[in-house]
PDB file of all heavy atoms in Angstrom:
ATOM      1  N   VAL A  26     -76.577  -8.916  59.806  1.00  0.00           N
ATOM      2  CA  VAL A  26     -78.006  -8.712  60.085  1.00  0.00           C
ATOM      3  C   VAL A  26     -78.844  -9.518  59.089  1.00  0.00           C
ATOM      4  O   VAL A  26     -79.792 -10.196  59.455  1.00  0.00           O
ATOM      5  CB  VAL A  26     -78.361  -7.213  59.996  1.00  0.00           C
ATOM      6  CG1 VAL A  26     -79.859  -7.003  60.118  1.00  0.00           C
ATOM      7  CG2 VAL A  26     -77.622  -6.452  61.096  1.00  0.00           C
ATOM      8  N   ASP A  27     -78.408  -9.467  57.840  1.00  0.00           N
ATOM      9  CA  ASP A  27     -79.122 -10.190  56.781  1.00  0.00           C
ATOM     10  C   ASP A  27     -79.151 -11.696  57.038  1.00  0.00           C
ATOM     11  O   ASP A  27     -80.172 -12.349  56.905  1.00  0.00           O
ATOM     12  CB  ASP A  27     -78.458  -9.927  55.424  1.00  0.00           C
ATOM     13  CG  ASP A  27     -79.105  -8.727  54.748  1.00  0.00           C
ATOM     14  OD1 ASP A  27     -80.224  -8.356  55.154  1.00  0.00           O
ATOM     15  OD2 ASP A  27     -78.475  -8.171  53.842  1.00  0.00           O
ATOM     16  N   ASN A  28     -77.959 -12.195  57.425  1.00  0.00           N
ATOM     17  CA  ASN A  28     -77.837 -13.611  57.731  1.00  0.00           C
ATOM     18  C   ASN A  28     -78.840 -14.046  58.774  1.00  0.00           C
ATOM     19  O   ASN A  28     -79.508 -15.051  58.650  1.00  0.00           O
ATOM     20  CB  ASN A  28     -76.438 -13.894  58.304  1.00  0.00           C
ATOM     21  CG  ASN A  28     -75.527 -14.413  57.215  1.00  0.00           C
ATOM     22  OD1 ASN A  28     -76.030 -14.839  56.184  1.00  0.00           O
ATOM     23  ND2 ASN A  28     -74.246 -14.366  57.450  1.00  0.00           N
ATOM     24  N   LEU A  36     -86.323 -20.637  59.768  1.00  0.00           N
ATOM     25  CA  LEU A  36     -87.013 -21.281  60.896  1.00  0.00           C
ATOM     26  C   LEU A  36     -88.524 -21.233  60.681  1.00  0.00           C
ATOM     27  O   LEU A  36     -89.235 -22.206  60.913  1.00  0.00           O
ATOM     28  CB  LEU A  36     -86.625 -20.585  62.200  1.00  0.00           C
ATOM     29  CG  LEU A  36     -87.329 -21.086  63.474  1.00  0.00           C
ATOM     30  CD1 LEU A  36     -87.061 -22.555  63.720  1.00  0.00           C
ATOM     31  CD2 LEU A  36     -86.892 -20.272  64.677  1.00  0.00           C
ATOM     32  N   LYS A  43     -91.805 -29.648  63.670  1.00  0.00           N
ATOM     33  CA  LYS A  43     -90.579 -29.153  64.310  1.00  0.00           C
ATOM     34  C   LYS A  43     -90.906 -28.140  65.389  1.00  0.00           C
ATOM     35  O   LYS A  43     -90.315 -28.136  66.459  1.00  0.00           O
ATOM     36  CB  LYS A  43     -89.678 -28.515  63.256  1.00  0.00           C
ATOM     37  CG  LYS A  43     -88.830 -29.541  62.561  1.00  0.00           C
ATOM     38  CD  LYS A  43     -87.384 -29.338  62.952  1.00  0.00           C
ATOM     39  CE  LYS A  43     -86.555 -30.509  62.526  1.00  0.00           C
ATOM     40  NZ  LYS A  43     -85.393 -30.079  61.794  1.00  0.00           N
ATOM     41  N   LEU A  46     -92.157 -29.772  68.501  1.00  0.00           N
ATOM     42  CA  LEU A  46     -91.063 -30.314  69.316  1.00  0.00           C
ATOM     43  C   LEU A  46     -90.531 -29.261  70.268  1.00  0.00           C
ATOM     44  O   LEU A  46     -90.098 -29.557  71.370  1.00  0.00           O
ATOM     45  CB  LEU A  46     -89.911 -30.770  68.422  1.00  0.00           C
ATOM     46  CG  LEU A  46     -89.969 -32.177  67.868  1.00  0.00           C
ATOM     47  CD1 LEU A  46     -88.770 -32.431  66.970  1.00  0.00           C
ATOM     48  CD2 LEU A  46     -89.990 -33.185  69.006  1.00  0.00           C
ATOM     49  N   ALA A  55     -90.087 -20.170  79.109  1.00  0.00           N
ATOM     50  CA  ALA A  55     -91.050 -19.153  79.545  1.00  0.00           C
ATOM     51  C   ALA A  55     -91.160 -19.176  81.062  1.00  0.00           C
ATOM     52  O   ALA A  55     -91.132 -18.133  81.726  1.00  0.00           O
ATOM     53  CB  ALA A  55     -92.403 -19.404  78.894  1.00  0.00           C
ATOM     54  N   ALA A  57     -88.925 -20.295  83.086  1.00  0.00           N
ATOM     55  CA  ALA A  57     -87.635 -19.853  83.612  1.00  0.00           C
ATOM     56  C   ALA A  57     -87.560 -18.323  83.624  1.00  0.00           C
ATOM     57  O   ALA A  57     -87.168 -17.723  84.629  1.00  0.00           O
ATOM     58  CB  ALA A  57     -86.500 -20.436  82.781  1.00  0.00           C
ATOM     59  N   SER A  81     -82.679 -32.720  78.502  1.00  0.00           N
ATOM     60  CA  SER A  81     -83.989 -32.494  77.902  1.00  0.00           C
ATOM     61  C   SER A  81     -83.849 -32.287  76.392  1.00  0.00           C
ATOM     62  O   SER A  81     -84.726 -32.669  75.633  1.00  0.00           O
ATOM     63  CB  SER A  81     -84.716 -31.317  78.569  1.00  0.00           C
ATOM     64  OG  SER A  81     -84.048 -30.103  78.290  1.00  0.00           O
ATOM     65  N   CYS A  82     -82.750 -31.701  75.950  1.00  0.00           N
ATOM     66  CA  CYS A  82     -82.522 -31.561  74.512  1.00  0.00           C
ATOM     67  C   CYS A  82     -81.634 -32.675  73.962  1.00  0.00           C
ATOM     68  O   CYS A  82     -81.716 -33.009  72.789  1.00  0.00           O
ATOM     69  CB  CYS A  82     -81.844 -30.232  74.198  1.00  0.00           C
ATOM     70  SG  CYS A  82     -82.936 -28.809  74.337  1.00  0.00           S
ATOM     71  N   MET A  93     -71.076 -41.803  82.964  1.00  0.00           N
ATOM     72  CA  MET A  93     -71.185 -42.856  83.971  1.00  0.00           C
ATOM     73  C   MET A  93     -70.136 -43.953  83.789  1.00  0.00           C
ATOM     74  O   MET A  93     -69.768 -44.629  84.738  1.00  0.00           O
ATOM     75  CB  MET A  93     -72.596 -43.473  83.959  1.00  0.00           C
ATOM     76  CG  MET A  93     -73.709 -42.518  84.384  1.00  0.00           C
ATOM     77  SD  MET A  93     -73.336 -41.542  85.865  1.00  0.00           S
ATOM     78  CE  MET A  93     -73.434 -42.815  87.141  1.00  0.00           C
ATOM     79  N   SER A  95     -67.102 -43.301  82.628  1.00  0.00           N
ATOM     80  CA  SER A  95     -65.774 -42.692  82.779  1.00  0.00           C
ATOM     81  C   SER A  95     -65.420 -42.542  84.261  1.00  0.00           C
ATOM     82  O   SER A  95     -66.245 -42.788  85.134  1.00  0.00           O
ATOM     83  CB  SER A  95     -65.775 -41.304  82.123  1.00  0.00           C
ATOM     84  OG  SER A  95     -66.380 -40.341  82.978  1.00  0.00           O
ATOM     85  N   THR A 105     -70.599 -38.533  91.110  1.00  0.00           N
ATOM     86  CA  THR A 105     -71.005 -38.375  89.711  1.00  0.00           C
ATOM     87  C   THR A 105     -70.878 -36.901  89.368  1.00  0.00           C
ATOM     88  O   THR A 105     -71.586 -36.064  89.932  1.00  0.00           O
ATOM     89  CB  THR A 105     -72.466 -38.813  89.499  1.00  0.00           C
ATOM     90  OG1 THR A 105     -72.606 -40.162  89.927  1.00  0.00           O
ATOM     91  CG2 THR A 105     -72.845 -38.718  88.026  1.00  0.00           C
ATOM     92  N   VAL A 106     -69.988 -36.588  88.478  1.00  0.00           N
ATOM     93  CA  VAL A 106     -69.814 -35.189  88.085  1.00  0.00           C
ATOM     94  C   VAL A 106     -70.945 -34.817  87.121  1.00  0.00           C
ATOM     95  O   VAL A 106     -71.257 -35.556  86.187  1.00  0.00           O
ATOM     96  CB  VAL A 106     -68.425 -34.956  87.448  1.00  0.00           C
ATOM     97  CG1 VAL A 106     -68.253 -33.497  87.051  1.00  0.00           C
ATOM     98  CG2 VAL A 106     -67.316 -35.376  88.415  1.00  0.00           C
ATOM     99  N   GLN A 110     -71.009 -28.955  85.785  1.00  0.00           N
ATOM    100  CA  GLN A 110     -69.790 -28.774  86.584  1.00  0.00           C
ATOM    101  C   GLN A 110     -68.550 -28.733  85.690  1.00  0.00           C
ATOM    102  O   GLN A 110     -67.546 -28.147  86.059  1.00  0.00           O
ATOM    103  CB  GLN A 110     -69.659 -29.884  87.631  1.00  0.00           C
ATOM    104  CG  GLN A 110     -70.670 -29.756  88.766  1.00  0.00           C
ATOM    105  CD  GLN A 110     -70.500 -30.843  89.805  1.00  0.00           C
ATOM    106  OE1 GLN A 110     -70.758 -32.014  89.545  1.00  0.00           O
ATOM    107  NE2 GLN A 110     -70.060 -30.465  90.985  1.00  0.00           N
ATOM    108  N   HIS A 112     -69.004 -28.056  82.092  1.00  0.00           N
ATOM    109  CA  HIS A 112     -69.256 -27.248  80.892  1.00  0.00           C
ATOM    110  C   HIS A 112     -69.587 -25.785  81.154  1.00  0.00           C
ATOM    111  O   HIS A 112     -69.471 -24.965  80.264  1.00  0.00           O
ATOM    112  CB  HIS A 112     -70.365 -27.873  80.050  1.00  0.00           C
ATOM    113  CG  HIS A 112     -69.909 -29.084  79.289  1.00  0.00           C
ATOM    114  ND1 HIS A 112     -69.041 -28.994  78.228  1.00  0.00           N
ATOM    115  CD2 HIS A 112     -70.167 -30.403  79.454  1.00  0.00           C
ATOM    116  CE1 HIS A 112     -68.803 -30.210  77.763  1.00  0.00           C
ATOM    117  NE2 HIS A 112     -69.467 -31.085  78.480  1.00  0.00           N
ATOM    118  N   LYS A 129     -78.792 -20.136  72.367  1.00  0.00           N
ATOM    119  CA  LYS A 129     -78.770 -20.220  70.906  1.00  0.00           C
ATOM    120  C   LYS A 129     -79.000 -21.670  70.488  1.00  0.00           C
ATOM    121  O   LYS A 129     -79.414 -21.944  69.369  1.00  0.00           O
ATOM    122  CB  LYS A 129     -77.458 -19.678  70.339  1.00  0.00           C
ATOM    123  CG  LYS A 129     -76.375 -20.730  70.083  1.00  0.00           C
ATOM    124  CD  LYS A 129     -75.174 -20.134  69.410  1.00  0.00           C
ATOM    125  CE  LYS A 129     -73.964 -21.045  69.311  1.00  0.00           C
ATOM    126  NZ  LYS A 129     -74.011 -22.421  69.715  1.00  0.00           N
ATOM    127  N   THR A 136     -83.886 -26.266  64.445  1.00  0.00           N
ATOM    128  CA  THR A 136     -83.588 -26.189  63.017  1.00  0.00           C
ATOM    129  C   THR A 136     -82.631 -27.253  62.482  1.00  0.00           C
ATOM    130  O   THR A 136     -82.642 -27.530  61.293  1.00  0.00           O
ATOM    131  CB  THR A 136     -82.992 -24.807  62.659  1.00  0.00           C
ATOM    132  OG1 THR A 136     -81.887 -24.561  63.525  1.00  0.00           O
ATOM    133  CG2 THR A 136     -84.018 -23.705  62.813  1.00  0.00           C
ATOM    134  N   PHE A 140     -81.144 -33.451  64.923  1.00  0.00           N
ATOM    135  CA  PHE A 140     -80.196 -33.140  65.998  1.00  0.00           C
ATOM    136  C   PHE A 140     -80.239 -34.150  67.142  1.00  0.00           C
ATOM    137  O   PHE A 140     -79.226 -34.708  67.535  1.00  0.00           O
ATOM    138  CB  PHE A 140     -80.434 -31.724  66.560  1.00  0.00           C
ATOM    139  CG  PHE A 140     -79.727 -31.507  67.865  1.00  0.00           C
ATOM    140  CD1 PHE A 140     -78.347 -31.356  67.883  1.00  0.00           C
ATOM    141  CD2 PHE A 140     -80.418 -31.524  69.081  1.00  0.00           C
ATOM    142  CE1 PHE A 140     -77.663 -31.199  69.090  1.00  0.00           C
ATOM    143  CE2 PHE A 140     -79.739 -31.372  70.283  1.00  0.00           C
ATOM    144  CZ  PHE A 140     -78.362 -31.210  70.285  1.00  0.00           C
ATOM    145  N   ALA A 157     -66.585 -27.572  72.146  1.00  0.00           N
ATOM    146  CA  ALA A 157     -66.570 -27.652  73.615  1.00  0.00           C
ATOM    147  C   ALA A 157     -65.157 -27.382  74.139  1.00  0.00           C
ATOM    148  O   ALA A 157     -64.973 -26.680  75.136  1.00  0.00           O
ATOM    149  CB  ALA A 157     -67.064 -29.023  74.070  1.00  0.00           C
ATOM    150  N   ASP A 159     -62.772 -25.599  72.636  1.00  0.00           N
ATOM    151  CA  ASP A 159     -62.460 -24.168  72.449  1.00  0.00           C
ATOM    152  C   ASP A 159     -62.993 -23.360  73.628  1.00  0.00           C
ATOM    153  O   ASP A 159     -62.312 -22.467  74.127  1.00  0.00           O
ATOM    154  CB  ASP A 159     -63.112 -23.624  71.164  1.00  0.00           C
ATOM    155  CG  ASP A 159     -62.359 -24.061  69.919  1.00  0.00           C
ATOM    156  OD1 ASP A 159     -61.214 -24.554  70.067  1.00  0.00           O
ATOM    157  OD2 ASP A 159     -62.921 -23.924  68.814  1.00  0.00           O
ATOM    158  N   TYR A 160     -64.209 -23.679  74.036  1.00  0.00           N
ATOM    159  CA  TYR A 160     -64.778 -22.930  75.148  1.00  0.00           C
ATOM    160  C   TYR A 160     -63.959 -23.157  76.428  1.00  0.00           C
ATOM    161  O   TYR A 160     -63.621 -22.210  77.135  1.00  0.00           O
ATOM    162  CB  TYR A 160     -66.244 -23.298  75.378  1.00  0.00           C
ATOM    163  CG  TYR A 160     -66.779 -22.593  76.592  1.00  0.00           C
ATOM    164  CD1 TYR A 160     -66.912 -21.204  76.593  1.00  0.00           C
ATOM    165  CD2 TYR A 160     -67.066 -23.294  77.764  1.00  0.00           C
ATOM    166  CE1 TYR A 160     -67.335 -20.529  77.731  1.00  0.00           C
ATOM    167  CE2 TYR A 160     -67.488 -22.617  78.901  1.00  0.00           C
ATOM    168  CZ  TYR A 160     -67.619 -21.244  78.875  1.00  0.00           C
ATOM    169  OH  TYR A 160     -68.025 -20.576  80.007  1.00  0.00           O
ATOM    170  N   ASP A 167     -61.176 -23.586  83.762  1.00  0.00           N
ATOM    171  CA  ASP A 167     -61.614 -23.183  85.109  1.00  0.00           C
ATOM    172  C   ASP A 167     -62.472 -24.228  85.791  1.00  0.00           C
ATOM    173  O   ASP A 167     -62.358 -24.457  86.987  1.00  0.00           O
ATOM    174  CB  ASP A 167     -62.505 -21.925  84.999  1.00  0.00           C
ATOM    175  CG  ASP A 167     -61.744 -20.678  85.357  1.00  0.00           C
ATOM    176  OD1 ASP A 167     -60.508 -20.774  85.520  1.00  0.00           O
ATOM    177  OD2 ASP A 167     -62.388 -19.619  85.464  1.00  0.00           O
ATOM    178  N   SER A 171     -61.774 -26.057  89.363  1.00  0.00           N
ATOM    179  CA  SER A 171     -62.549 -25.798  90.571  1.00  0.00           C
ATOM    180  C   SER A 171     -62.682 -27.077  91.409  1.00  0.00           C
ATOM    181  O   SER A 171     -62.889 -27.004  92.615  1.00  0.00           O
ATOM    182  CB  SER A 171     -63.922 -25.207  90.228  1.00  0.00           C
ATOM    183  OG  SER A 171     -64.733 -26.181  89.636  1.00  0.00           O
ATOM    184  N   THR A 174     -58.125 -28.913  92.553  1.00  0.00           N
ATOM    185  CA  THR A 174     -57.465 -27.708  93.048  1.00  0.00           C
ATOM    186  C   THR A 174     -55.979 -27.889  93.323  1.00  0.00           C
ATOM    187  O   THR A 174     -55.250 -26.911  93.371  1.00  0.00           O
ATOM    188  CB  THR A 174     -58.146 -27.210  94.340  1.00  0.00           C
ATOM    189  OG1 THR A 174     -58.235 -28.326  95.224  1.00  0.00           O
ATOM    190  CG2 THR A 174     -59.539 -26.678  94.060  1.00  0.00           C
ATOM    191  N   ASN A 175     -55.545 -29.122  93.522  1.00  0.00           N
ATOM    192  CA  ASN A 175     -54.145 -29.330  93.906  1.00  0.00           C
ATOM    193  C   ASN A 175     -53.320 -30.039  92.836  1.00  0.00           C
ATOM    194  O   ASN A 175     -52.506 -30.900  93.137  1.00  0.00           O
ATOM    195  CB  ASN A 175     -54.063 -30.114  95.223  1.00  0.00           C
ATOM    196  CG  ASN A 175     -54.736 -29.375  96.359  1.00  0.00           C
ATOM    197  OD1 ASN A 175     -55.015 -28.185  96.253  1.00  0.00           O
ATOM    198  ND2 ASN A 175     -55.012 -30.075  97.435  1.00  0.00           N
ATOM    199  N   ASN A 179     -49.329 -27.822  96.035  1.00  0.00           N
ATOM    200  CA  ASN A 179     -49.719 -28.738  97.108  1.00  0.00           C
ATOM    201  C   ASN A 179     -50.195 -30.076  96.551  1.00  0.00           C
ATOM    202  O   ASN A 179     -51.229 -30.602  96.980  1.00  0.00           O
ATOM    203  CB  ASN A 179     -50.830 -28.135  97.971  1.00  0.00           C
ATOM    204  CG  ASN A 179     -50.506 -26.746  98.462  1.00  0.00           C
ATOM    205  OD1 ASN A 179     -49.364 -26.495  98.892  1.00  0.00           O
ATOM    206  ND2 ASN A 179     -51.439 -25.830  98.379  1.00  0.00           N
ATOM    207  N   LYS A 189     -47.203 -35.672  88.527  1.00  0.00           N
ATOM    208  CA  LYS A 189     -46.615 -34.570  89.302  1.00  0.00           C
ATOM    209  C   LYS A 189     -45.619 -33.799  88.461  1.00  0.00           C
ATOM    210  O   LYS A 189     -45.619 -32.568  88.425  1.00  0.00           O
ATOM    211  CB  LYS A 189     -45.881 -35.133  90.521  1.00  0.00           C
ATOM    212  CG  LYS A 189     -46.737 -35.284  91.732  1.00  0.00           C
ATOM    213  CD  LYS A 189     -45.851 -35.604  92.930  1.00  0.00           C
ATOM    214  CE  LYS A 189     -46.697 -35.787  94.172  1.00  0.00           C
ATOM    215  NZ  LYS A 189     -45.979 -36.350  95.295  1.00  0.00           N
TER     216      LYS A 189
END
Side-chain angles (χ1 to χ4, degrees):
V26 173
D27 269 342
N28 262 343
L36 176 60
K43 275 249 168 129
L46 273 178
S81 67
C82 286
M93 294 315 288
S95 80
T105 303
V106 180
Q110 289 181 292
H112 285 290
K129 94 175 171 6
T136 53
F140 166 73
D159 284 347
Y160 176 66
D167 259 9
S171 71
T174 51
N175 299 345
N179 309 317
K189 271 190 181 168

